Every structure is written in C-alpha cells, then in structure tokens.
C-alpha cells in the first residue's frame, strides 16, 4: 500500500503547464505571466499634482527656509477629487508642521485632471490644481488646500512647502526600461493595473489547465432523466467539475461514457489530446471499472495500487496518450472522489497555474467531539471549523468519521468547510485534542 506522500509526489511530478497564449488583461486575473513586461515610457509621463491644492513656486511662499515636508502616503496612487480629497487632507494634516506664514498670491487659473491646455506659472502666482492634474510650467510644489484660506481669486498660504512637495515627478513610479511585471508572476489586481498603466492591453500568460471529467458506470443516468430501478444520478461529474473550476481549471464535463469499448476509447483519446489532466470516476472497483482500465492500458500506464488513506484508498493514477497526460481513476462514491480531488488533483491544478503554495492552508484546532480513524491510514475527516469568540482559538467539529457519523454521505460533506488530517498512527481523537485542519473554501 502506497503512502499519501508518495502518491502525492507521483502526481505533482507529473504536473504540466499549458503553452502560453496572448490574452486580454481583462481575462488574465489569476494566471501566470509568461513574459517580462518592460515599460516603454515613464510613469507618470508628466509632472502631476499629488493632492488637491495650488501649484506654486516654493520660493514664493518662503519654501527655501521651510522644513522638508514628506509626501503623503498615498502619493503614488491615482485618485479623483471626490474619492481622494478626504484622505489627502488627512495626509497633509499628518505631516510635520512647516513654519507658519502669511503669504498672499493671486490665483491665475485652474487645471483639472486630464487637462490638455498648457499653463505657465509666473513668479508670485498660484494655479488651482486637482489630484493628477499636469503641473504648470515653472511650478515646483503643490500647496495643499488645507494649508490655505481656499481663496478663488487670491489665496493666503498659512504654511510653507519645499520644492517637490506633493508633486509626482516624471518617472517616480516607473522609468523606461523598468520591468513592470516579471515572467512567472501570478497576475493579481495590482499587476493587472500596472499592465494597464504601461499601456498593455494584452499579455502573454499560461492559460488555465484544461481538465476533462468523465463518469463511467452502467448504473448512472444524467440529472435530467428519471432513474429506473438500480440507477442513480451522475453526481461525480458535476461535483468534480465544480471543484476543478473552483481550483482554477478550464473544465470540460463529458458526462457519462457509454457504448462499446472502441467507442469509449475514441472519446477518451479525443479528450486526452485537449487536456492537461483527465479524471474518470467510477473507474476503480467492480467489473465495469475493469473495462476502463483495460482501455487505458492500451494507451498508457495506470497504477491502481491502494493508497494508505481514508476515505479514497481505492484509486488509480498514471500517464496516458502520446503527451503523457496525468490521468486519475476515482471511485464512484462522491465523498471519496471529492477527498481524492482535494488531496491530489487540486494541487496539480494549482501547480499548473504557477501558484507558489499549491496546498490548502493548514491550521491547528481543538477538537470538539470524538473521532475514529483507521489504523495505518491517513484520515481526512470532513469537519466544521470555527473560532472561539473570546480566545480566537480555532475549534473543529468532525462531521464524517465522528462516532456514529457515516463516512460516505455527501450531505455531511456539503456542510463542511474543513477537513481534519489524522496521522496514520492515530486511531482516535478525543474532545480537547489539538489536530491539523485543512481549511477549505469559506462559505458565506
């Protein structure tokens, strides 16, 4: 019997990354960048006001004798007046107070963000500017609105600024030739925004791995048909397709494979060439599953050694087709199939996506009830993870494998948001014991 760790090593070693494709940045969230993106132009491309206020020459309000004023914390972030003014005012108020002055300057114009009209500032003049607005020629600082009397035709400055204060200089964020996004970076919201900032509408990425889900079993009918005597709905292809999508894969749900062996082989070979992983449920255990294994043996190598885990010890894995595509044989039991998916198939998908951590987050939690586990097998017990309102400690309640709780029922898994991981040498967990818990997707 193979250990869980050895089986996982076989699976992860077989993980493949799809060939890169060029894609719109609107659709690239969560994908791994396949190129090094360099900036062709500086960002910002022109001197900008970093805050609402008045563009001035610092020397005109005593700036040469003033204290150095730090830039606001959000200076490198774009914001409109409606959204950013309150935060900018707080930032300006939080700066070390420069010397108080009483300098009066005429306001000779106004420059909003997006203005294309060049404006030239003369000595001892001020221009009203808004966040992101191009700075008038000769202006070298922005006097925050909160440091003035907010005059329209003439302003009185109550504090000084130094040259460069509250100004985004050309190239402050990125210089031409700088790497905006490196190859191998998983694209999150910040990276997508940076690609847009350097003028890239498309980017070369590794696409989502294609996972094909096939169900097998003479007893199966699709959910839009009425099952007869001895028949059951095809649950696995739907639940596993949903799990693969949640993991980040591009999923093809074939449904139920039926017909003569030649026809089944044609279906499998067709989808093998279009997939980075093939998942066949109902393919281990029983005479019907033997037919699938015989078909796969003609086109690849499948190992059906038992794995020291529960549920899901009966499973198969191998590489099939000319492209040696990772192929999983799963039992017909929905709970066992989903547990196997979590432990092996989900990490394969996450690795193909370039995720740094392919595995679920593990936390330590105190058990609330008694749980039995099989000797010599690593247990994966579905559970409900909670937090103590007073201590913030994690608490976990076993749902499957707990005393009196059947391990095969799908309804119990639907209530779970975690799985308790029980070591092979442990056969019993008692209330109060601290256990390892895999934190599954949080449900709202």
């Amino acid at each position: 019997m193979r250990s869980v760790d050895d089986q996982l090593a076989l699976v992860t070693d077989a993980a493949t990354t799809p060939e890169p494709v060029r894609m719109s940045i609107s659709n690239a969230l969560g994908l791994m960048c396949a190129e090094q993106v360099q900036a062709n132009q500086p960002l910002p491309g022109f001197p900008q006001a970093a805050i609402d206020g008045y563009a001035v020459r610092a020397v005109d309000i005593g700036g040469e004798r003033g204290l150095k004023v730090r830039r606001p914390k959000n200076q490198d972030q774009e914001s409109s007046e409606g959204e950013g003014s309150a935060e900018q005012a707080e930032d300006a108020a939080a700066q070390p107070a420069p010397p108080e002055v009483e300098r009066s300057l005429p306001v000779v114009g106004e420059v909003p963000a997006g203005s294309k009209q060049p404006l030239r500032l003369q000595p001892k003049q001020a221009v009203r500017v808004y966040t992101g607005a191009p700075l008038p020629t000769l202006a070298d600082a922005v006097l925050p609105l909160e440091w003035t009397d907010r005059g329209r035709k003439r302003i009185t400055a109550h504090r000084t600024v130094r040259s460069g204060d509250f100004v985004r200089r050309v190239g402050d964020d990125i210089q031409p030739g700088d790497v905006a996004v490196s190859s191998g970076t998983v694209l999150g919201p910040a990276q997508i925004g940076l690609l847009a900032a350097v003028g890239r509408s498309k980017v070369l990425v590794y696409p989502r791995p294609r996972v094909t889900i096939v169900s097998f079993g003479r007893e199966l009918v699709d959910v839009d048909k009425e099952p007869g005597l001895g028949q059951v709905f095809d649950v696995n292809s739907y639940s596993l397709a949903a799990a693969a999508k949640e993991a980040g894969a591009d999923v093809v749900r074939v449904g139920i494979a039926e017909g003569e062996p030649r026809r089944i082989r044609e279906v499998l070979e067709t989808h093998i060439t279009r997939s980075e992983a093939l998942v066949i449920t109902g393919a281990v255990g029983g005479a019907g599953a033997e037919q699938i294994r015989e078909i796969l043996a003609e086109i690849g190598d499948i190992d059906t050694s038992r794995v020291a885990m529960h549920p899901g010890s009966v499973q198969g894995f191998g590489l099939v087709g000319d492209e040696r595509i990772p192929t999983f044989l799963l039992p017909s039991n929905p709970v066992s199939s989903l547990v196997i998916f979590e432990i092996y198939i989900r990490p394969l998908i996450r690795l193909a996506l370039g995720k740094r951590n392919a595995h679920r987050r593990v936390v330590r939690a105190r058990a609330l009830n008694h749980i039995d586990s099989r000797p010599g097998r690593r247990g994966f017990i579905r559970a409900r993870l909670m937090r103590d309102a007073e201590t913030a400690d994690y608490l976990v309640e076993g749902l499957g494998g707990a005393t009196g709780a059947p391990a095969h029922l799908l309804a119990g898994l639907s209530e779970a948001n975690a799985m308790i991981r029980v070591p092979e040498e442990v056969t019993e967990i008692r209330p109060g014991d601290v256990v390892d818990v895999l934190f599954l997707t949080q449900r709202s």
Side-chain angles (χ1 to χ4, degrees), residues 145-321:
L145 198 64
E146 290 70 28
W147 293 2
T148 72
D149 64 352
R150 302 172 182 256
R152 292 181 176 274
K153 295 184 178 181
R154 194 171 190 88
I155 57 133
T156 298
H158 300 314
R159 296 182 183 179
T160 64
V161 288
R162 292 288 299 267
S163 180
D165 285 342
F166 303 105
V167 173
R168 300 189 186 115
R169 298 182 180 88
V170 173
D172 264 356
D173 197 349
I174 293 178
Q175 293 284 350
D178 284 353
V179 176
V181 178
S182 300
S183 178
T185 301
V186 176
L187 300 176
Q191 289 75 28
I192 297 295
L194 194 52
L195 289 170
V198 299
R200 291 290 297 269
S201 62
K202 294 186 177 181
V203 63
L204 194 67
V205 296
Y206 295 101
R208 302 183 189 283
R210 296 161 297 184
V211 175
T212 298
I213 312 290
V214 182
S215 289
F216 183 77
R218 293 184 177 89
E219 78 280 8
L220 299 179
V221 296
D222 205 357
V223 294
D224 59 356
K225 296 181 180 179
E226 187 69 27
L229 181 63
Q231 292 183 317
V232 295
F233 288 126
D234 170 25
V235 173
N236 282 342
S237 71
Y238 287 97
S239 61
L240 291 170
K245 288 180 181 179
E246 188 272 333
D250 185 6
V251 180
V252 175
R253 191 190 67 82
V254 176
I256 304 167
E258 298 177 311
E260 297 298 319
R262 180 180 59 83
R263 171 58 183 158
I264 294 176
R265 174 172 172 166
E266 289 176 355
V267 171
L268 295 180
E269 287 183 324
T270 297
H271 288 284
I272 286 170
T273 61
R274 303 172 182 173
S275 306
E276 275 73 50
L278 175 64
V279 180
I280 308 174
T281 72
V284 286
E290 186 66 30
Q291 184 183 50
I292 285 289
R293 291 198 297 273
E294 290 176 358
I295 293 171
L296 292 173
E298 299 173 1
I299 56 177
D301 301 314
I302 296 292
D303 185 352
T304 55
S305 300
R306 278 182 173 257
V307 181
M309 63 182 287
H310 76 92
S313 65
V314 180
Q315 58 181 276
F317 174 74
L319 305 175
V320 300

